[in-house]
Each structure stands twice: as C-alpha cells, then as structure tokens.
Amino acid sequence: MKVPFLDLLAQYRSIEADAQAALNSVIEKTAFAGGPFVSQFEEEFAAFCDCERAVGVGSGTDALWAALLAMGVGSGDEVITAANTFIATAEAISFAGARPVFVDVEEHSYNMDPAQLSERINNRTRAIIPVHLYGRTADMDPILEIASKHNLVVIEDASQAHGAEYKGRRAGSMGDMGCFSFYPGKNLGAFGEAGAIVTNRTEQAKYAAQFRDHGQAQKYYHDMIGWNARMDGIQGAILSVKLKRLDEWNAIRRRHADLYDELLAPVKDVITPPRTEGYLSVYHIYAIRHPRRDDLMEYLKSKDIYCGIHYPVPLHLQKAYESLALDKGAFPVSEKVAGEIISLPMYAELTEEQIHYVAEMIRSFPTN
Ligand SMILES: *Cc1c(COP(=O)(O)O)cnc(C)c1O
C-alpha cells in the first residue's frame, strides 16, 4: 500500500464536473483578474467565517501584508507572533516595515503561549498575530484580553484553519482581521495561489480592497499607493465550488484524526495532537511527536508512507532572520518540538484502510 502525504488529484476527481463548469464560465466571461467570480466568493467566504466582509487577494502572504497595512502597522512598530510558524507570517511583518518579535509556544498545543506575551510588549508594540497552527486555533481569550489591555491590533493568521472554531467562534472572526491562504494544499485550496482577509471593520476592508488593486478608487484614479495583489477569477470560481464541500471535508478530517488518535494513543513514544474542550480543529495537519522523528520518517518512507515536517527550523533560527540576533535557546519549546514533530498523511480522500496501515507501520517501528 502507498500513502502519499497529500492527494490533490483525488480531491479534483470528486468535484471534476463542477470544477470544469466553473472554469468554463470564467473563460466564457473572460473574468480573469478580480471580477464577479471573486466578488461572489468573497460574499460566501465572509458568511462562512461569520464576518461581514472578505477581500480576496493573491496569496495568504498578501493577506497578512495588506491586513497589517490596513490596520496602520508600519515602520518603527513591533508585531508579536509565534516562533514556530511558516515564514510568511514574519515576512508580512517585515515588508509592512515593522519588526517581528517572537514568542514561544505552549508545549501541548504548539501555538502562541499567551502567558509569555506580556514580557514582549513595550511602547513600540502595535499588533499580535496569533497563528492557528495545524488547524487548531490559538488560545484566543487571553490573547484578546492582553491585546485590549495594551490597545493592540490582533490579526489572526488562519491560513491553516478554514472553518476551525474556538468556543463556538470561527477562526478569522475573533481579531480585528483574519487572514487565510488558499494555497493548493490548504484545507480550502485554489488551483494556484490565492488568499483572503475577513473582517467586520468596514473602513479597513475598504483599504485592503483598494490596496490590492493599485489603490484605485475607480479605474485609473489612484487614491493611494497600492499594489497588485488581486485574486484571479479562476481562483474565485474554484474556491466557490470547493467552499460548498469544506464543512464536510473538515468533518472527514476530524474523523480521520479520531481514528489516528485511537490507534496511536497506546503506542510507546508517540504524542498525539492536543484535545481540549472548546477547540474544534480542522486538522490541516495531523502532527505527532516522536523522540526519533528522523528515523521514524525514513522508516515510514521505506513502507511507502510519505510524511512532512511543519516546521523543521523555528523562525528565530532561520538565516533570513539572523539580523534579529536570536540564538539557539531563545525559544526552547519551539526548538524542542521542531526536532520531534512529524506530519502524517491527512486529507479527506484518505481511506480508513490507509490510516490503519500508517498506524500499523508506526507501531512496528523498532524501539531501542
Ligand atoms: C500557507 C501559510 C501562509 C502563506 O500563505 P501563501 O498563500 O502561501 O502565501 C501563511 N501563514 C501560514 C501559517 C501558512 O500556513
């Protein structure tokens, strides 16, 4: 048996007719850049996230960047985010002109540790970007409380958490703005690059919508210096097709996670993902921990099971951020888990048989 890490073709087969019809209508209307298919998706996605507005952009990285600018974050400001996230979170902060300030994560959840936020806050701090890693939200109540106490902007990086919930609230709807990526491998993935901002803030949504389109108020009348960060029409149309299935796909991912949990909980040396009341994860990634992660990964590969690591190097140890002069040991939890996490195959089209096979092979990994 072979178990790929991801199978985007299998997902495409399950929506082939609708996807082809959607692509055709975009082509027939030649609505390629922005346009009606993007607007329609924005309306649907805002509703899905329990928000008033959505602004479709070119990528999740664009969404984070535009959200920071829309909230007035810029040069001289500091923005706090987790040390173990995808680099885009920090890149957006840097390209907004601000300085990323990292905070360590909770060992059980791999998300931003709210208890460590206060010591990172000073008079330059303007915003916090909690990342909902692996499809499970960060602990938002204490984060929002600290932010409100210090008058800080909160931008959720919900790139891995489409449809996730925290105490009944949808990911992206809790902070000032929520940012999503529709990179093909995400729970809601485009046929290329795409992203979106969701928010209840009308003025800031308007800013982001203008920014992504060269600052245009109307065609060739530019109210501000913007950028080209528009969403393609094809992506809007495909995302509308897929959004209709997303709750169902997420529910299947949760069932898969339940099965993995059940089969792996008794296995020596394996730590399964956290289960805490109040969190509804969408399991973008099903990551376990193992003290001999690299050996286990090689072993599984020899059994035709393909895994990933999200992420092997925390941001403060990336060459790109060496100017921050943060040494090894600065964020011990992030560093520790980076050496132990392994992401198992996880997608709606995965079969129970495949999950049993993966668990069986992990059980058969020789302990020494
Ligand atoms: C995927 C991802 C991004 C970036 O999204 P792109 O669409 O690839 O630009 C940002 N943050 C996190 C946590 C992500 O997983």
Side-chain angles (χ1 to χ4, degrees):
M1 188 179 296
K2 182 175 170 168
V3 191
F5 181 65
L6 193 62
D7 190 349
L8 291 179
L9 193 60
Q11 190 196 54
Y12 170 66
R13 293 293 177 224
S14 75
I15 56 163
E16 189 165 357
D18 288 354
Q20 286 295 341
L23 291 176
N24 276 335
S25 34
V26 176
I27 296 165
E28 290 298 332
K29 289 202 164 74
T30 65
F32 296 120
F37 294 95
V38 172
S39 308
Q40 192 187 327
F41 171 68
E42 286 172 338
E43 238 170 74
E44 295 164 358
F45 193 64
F48 178 84
C49 295
D50 284 335
C51 281
E52 274 162 37
R53 298 283 310 270
V55 179
V57 292
S59 68
T61 313
D62 278 348
L64 288 160
W65 186 38
L68 285 162
L69 297 179
M71 294 307 301
V73 177
S75 157
D77 295 335
E78 292 187 359
V79 179
I80 305 175
T81 195
N84 76 326
T85 171
F86 181 57
I87 195 161
T89 322
E91 286 174 322
I93 297 167
S94 298
F95 270 83
R99 177 188 171 90
V101 172
F102 299 123
V103 66
D104 212 350
V105 297
E106 302 171 318
E107 179 156 356
H108 74 279
S109 76
Y110 318 129
N111 274 329
M112 171 179 283
D113 184 354
Q116 295 185 39
L117 278 175
S118 292
E119 66 202 66
R120 306 274 157 203
I121 294 171
N122 60 44
N123 56 11
R124 289 179 303 276
T125 312
R126 277 297 309 281
I128 304 175
I129 307 188
V131 182
H132 307 320
L133 207 66
Y134 304 159
R136 183 188 188 275
T137 68
D139 190 5
M140 289 303 289
D141 276 347
I143 294 170
L144 291 166
E145 195 178 310
I146 291 164
S148 125
K149 189 171 140 206
H150 295 271
N151 208 9
L152 305 176
V153 166
V154 175
I155 294 170
E156 299 172 65
D157 184 345
S159 294
Q160 304 190 0
H162 321 70
E165 288 179 12
Y166 173 82
K167 301 180 184 175
R169 286 172 282 166
R170 282 235 152 162
S173 71
M174 294 175 273
D176 295 281
M177 292 191 143
C179 296
F180 289 86
S181 163
F182 307 118
Y183 183 78
K186 301 285 158 89
N187 286 36
L188 180 60
F191 280 8
E193 306 277 353
I197 296 168
V198 297
T199 184
N200 293 323
R201 296 185 172 271
T202 319
E203 275 311 300
Q204 284 79 2
K206 199 175 141 203
Y207 179 99
Q210 271 192 32
F211 172 78
R212 71 165 167 191
D213 194 20
H214 298 294
Q216 295 189 116
Q218 44 173 309
K219 203 167 174 69
Y220 302 133
Y221 289 80
H222 308 271
D223 286 2
M224 63 181 187
I225 302 171
W227 197 252
N228 177 2
R230 290 181 299 249
M231 182 190 280
D232 288 345
I234 281 175
Q235 309 313 343
I238 288 296
L239 289 167
S240 285
V241 168
K242 288 196 181 188
L243 184 59
K244 293 184 182 65
R245 275 96 171 168
L246 184 57
D247 280 329
E248 186 195 331
W249 285 336
N250 283 343
I252 298 172
R253 281 175 184 265
R254 278 195 286 273
R255 283 211 297 277
H256 288 347
D258 290 346
L259 183 55
Y260 267 134
D261 277 4
E262 183 194 321
L263 298 172
L264 293 175
V267 181
K268 188 171 172 285
D269 286 340
V270 169
I271 299 174
T272 54
R275 292 218 162 234
T276 320
E277 201 163 337
Y279 292 82
L280 188 70
S281 175
V282 291
Y283 292 99
H284 170 58
I285 281 170
Y286 184 90
I288 60 168
R289 271 162 66 198
H290 194 284
R292 287 166 55 225
R293 187 269 313 280
D294 293 341
D295 294 341
L296 174 62
M297 196 158 160
E298 269 310 300
Y299 177 79
L300 292 175
K301 198 170 147 197
S302 77
K303 307 290 180 193
D304 250 349
I305 296 166
Y306 298 88
C307 300
I309 301 173
H310 302 89
Y311 296 91
V313 182
L315 295 189
H316 66 289
L317 300 179
Q318 295 283 358
K319 185 158 184 289
Y321 279 112
E322 66 189 0
S323 67
L324 295 178
L326 292 161
D327 294 327
K328 222 176 173 140
F331 302 103
V333 180
S334 296
E335 291 167 31
K336 178 181 173 200
V337 299
E340 298 180 351
I341 39 174
I342 168 168
S343 311
L344 304 184
M346 171 55 88
Y347 37 95
E349 298 74 22
L350 199 65
T351 65
E352 283 188 16
E353 213 186 347
Q354 285 174 310
I355 295 170
H356 277 278
Y357 175 66
V358 174
E360 188 58 43
M361 289 304 109
I362 293 172
R363 260 201 305 272
S364 75
F365 178 59
T367 48
N368 55 7

